[in-house]
Amino acid sequence: MTIPHKIAGLGELLWDIYDDRRHAGGAPANFALHARRCGADALLLSRVGNDQAGRDLKALLARNGVDVSAIQTSPDKPTGSVRVHLGPAGAPRFECSRDTAFDQLECDQVWRTLLPSLDALLYGVLAQREETSRNAIRACLHHADKALLLFDLNLRGWNDSTRDIVLNSLSMCDIVKMNETELAILQQALDAGKMDRQDFLLSLLHSYNIKMAAVTLGSRGCWLLTPDQNLHHPGFRVRAVDTTGCGDAFAAGLIWSILNKASLEEMAEFANRLGAFVATRQGAMPEWSQDDLAALGEA
Ligand code: ADP
């Protein structure tokens, strides 16, 4: 019997609130759920408030097979939320609540015990905005000593504090994932705006000892770059309804493929399939089956 890969998301868990509905979200939560659908033993390391919003989120993830037993409950901070404003072609703009439960993460004994058993762990920038959670996340990355560490850049802007968070996070990851906008922000912020994009990414891989950069290109698929391989995959043509969470699904597909020792081409294809399918549904956590993915047409 093979033991399923153990994959975790670390960071925020929140409600995405639209004008007329709400969807469970937070990149690490979306990632964990899609990793579970891929077949992993998936869990989420996060924190919710002692409120209905938090209980509903945990129940929803649990119904979808994600292990929620390590999600902490804050006695005095509310569960996080994000107002989502949808623009043309379903492109989202976000407004995130402050001083939430996920700003108070603790790398406690429960987390320290399970972190060494992880095969992969995703983390990002948002949950590192306050010092308490930032320190907890850094401690977690140290304890996850056999896990493949995926840093999802997920930038919403840039300032001095973002700079510290990003540079530290780059120094700890095995894989960095970003979309094209984030790549452009990073390049500008690191005073490399005039550099060729590929040269810039290669220098990043080299400077921070990173094994792979994954750049998502929306409807145009993705670009995977390692120190010695370079691959563009054109993605899949779909009718996009809501692109929230496409990048998180992509990340789950990528990690799943890497843990299953796929080739670079196979990784790109599977991750793109998952991302493209999620674009065809409302919210970041739609259900999907292997048949749904197989039915997508080539780009
Ligand atoms: P993010 O959601 O992080 O901004 P992208 O928009 O680049 O990232 O989407 C992540 C991945 O999802 C893409 O690499 C692609 O595989 C897939 N995807 C996103 N939007 C579309 C789309 N409109 N058509 C097809 N695939 C898409």
Side-chain angles (χ1 to χ4, degrees):
M1 201 183 86
T2 52
I3 300 172
H5 300 300
K6 200 162 175 179
I7 299 180
L10 168 63
E12 65 275 16
L13 170 60
L14 42 81
W15 283 108
D16 283 334
I17 301 176
Y18 295 71
D19 288 341
D20 54 349
R21 62 191 190 279
R22 68 176 189 176
H23 290 290
N30 299 336
F31 168 79
L33 180 132
H34 289 294
R36 171 65 197 152
R37 296 216 205 294
C38 286
D41 191 353
L43 64 140
L44 184 65
L45 302 177
S46 186
R47 191 170 176 105
V48 292
N50 186 8
D51 48 29
Q52 197 55 44
R55 285 186 283 279
D56 290 350
L57 282 167
K58 282 174 69 173
L60 184 145
L61 288 175
R63 273 200 306 281
N64 282 282
V66 175
D67 181 349
V68 296
S69 60
I71 295 179
Q72 302 166 346
T73 303
S74 168
D76 55 352
K77 301 288 180 192
T79 298
S81 64
V82 175
R83 276 287 305 168
V84 186
H85 307 273
L86 290 183
R93 185 170 62 79
F94 305 98
E95 221 180 300
C96 196
S97 65
R98 304 291 309 208
D99 202 18
T100 69
F102 75 71
D103 294 306
Q104 301 279 318
L105 301 177
E106 280 174 43
C107 185
D108 63 9
Q109 189 55 47
V110 173
W111 286 17
R112 285 200 298 274
T113 305
L114 66 82
L115 283 159
S117 68
L118 295 178
D119 295 304
L121 180 64
L122 170 137
Y123 62 103
V125 170
L126 178 58
Q128 297 192 65
R129 65 186 176 175
E130 298 294 342
E131 195 180 0
T132 304
S133 288
R134 187 157 63 242
N135 290 338
I137 288 175
R138 287 178 188 177
C140 287
L141 300 179
H142 283 294
H143 285 284
D145 48 14
K146 77 165 165 114
L148 196 61
L149 299 178
L150 171 59
F151 173 40
D152 185 348
L153 205 53
N154 239 328
L155 284 181
R156 302 275 176 258
W158 190 269
N159 55 35
D160 286 347
S161 132
T162 321
R163 183 186 194 88
D164 288 348
I165 294 169
V166 167
L167 296 186
N168 184 271
S169 297
L170 284 170
S171 72
M172 302 198 63
C173 74
D174 297 302
I175 301 169
V176 59
K177 173 193 152 285
M178 64 196 90
N179 64 25
E180 279 182 296
T181 311
E182 291 155 354
L183 171 56
I185 295 173
L186 186 65
Q187 217 171 326
Q188 284 294 337
L190 300 186
D191 296 326
K194 294 208 169 68
M195 227 172 146
D196 169 78
R197 293 203 310 182
Q198 184 165 333
D199 291 342
F200 169 70
L201 281 179
L202 281 173
S203 73
L204 207 64
L205 297 186
H206 180 72
S207 309
Y208 292 93
N209 196 19
I210 299 172
K211 298 186 181 99
M212 182 192 290
V215 181
T216 62
L217 309 171
S219 61
R220 292 177 292 108
C222 68
W223 172 26
L224 301 184
L225 188 68
T226 73
D228 44 32
Q229 282 181 289
N230 180 19
L231 179 94
H232 280 267
H233 186 287
F236 295 87
R237 201 184 304 276
V238 296
R239 185 185 296 271
V241 171
D242 175 4
T243 59
T244 317
C246 288
D248 309 326
F250 176 97
L254 182 69
I255 286 294
W256 178 249
S257 310
I258 294 174
L259 292 177
N260 284 297
K261 309 216 180 314
S263 68
L264 206 65
E265 173 73 29
E266 290 164 336
M267 286 171 205
E269 181 185 330
F270 184 62
N272 273 335
R273 253 183 216 284
L274 239 167
F277 181 80
V278 169
T280 67
R281 297 291 189 272
Q282 294 279 10
M285 298 181 173
E287 293 205 9
W288 56 265
S289 65
Q290 292 294 342
D291 286 349
D292 291 325
L293 299 190
L296 295 180
E298 297 293 327

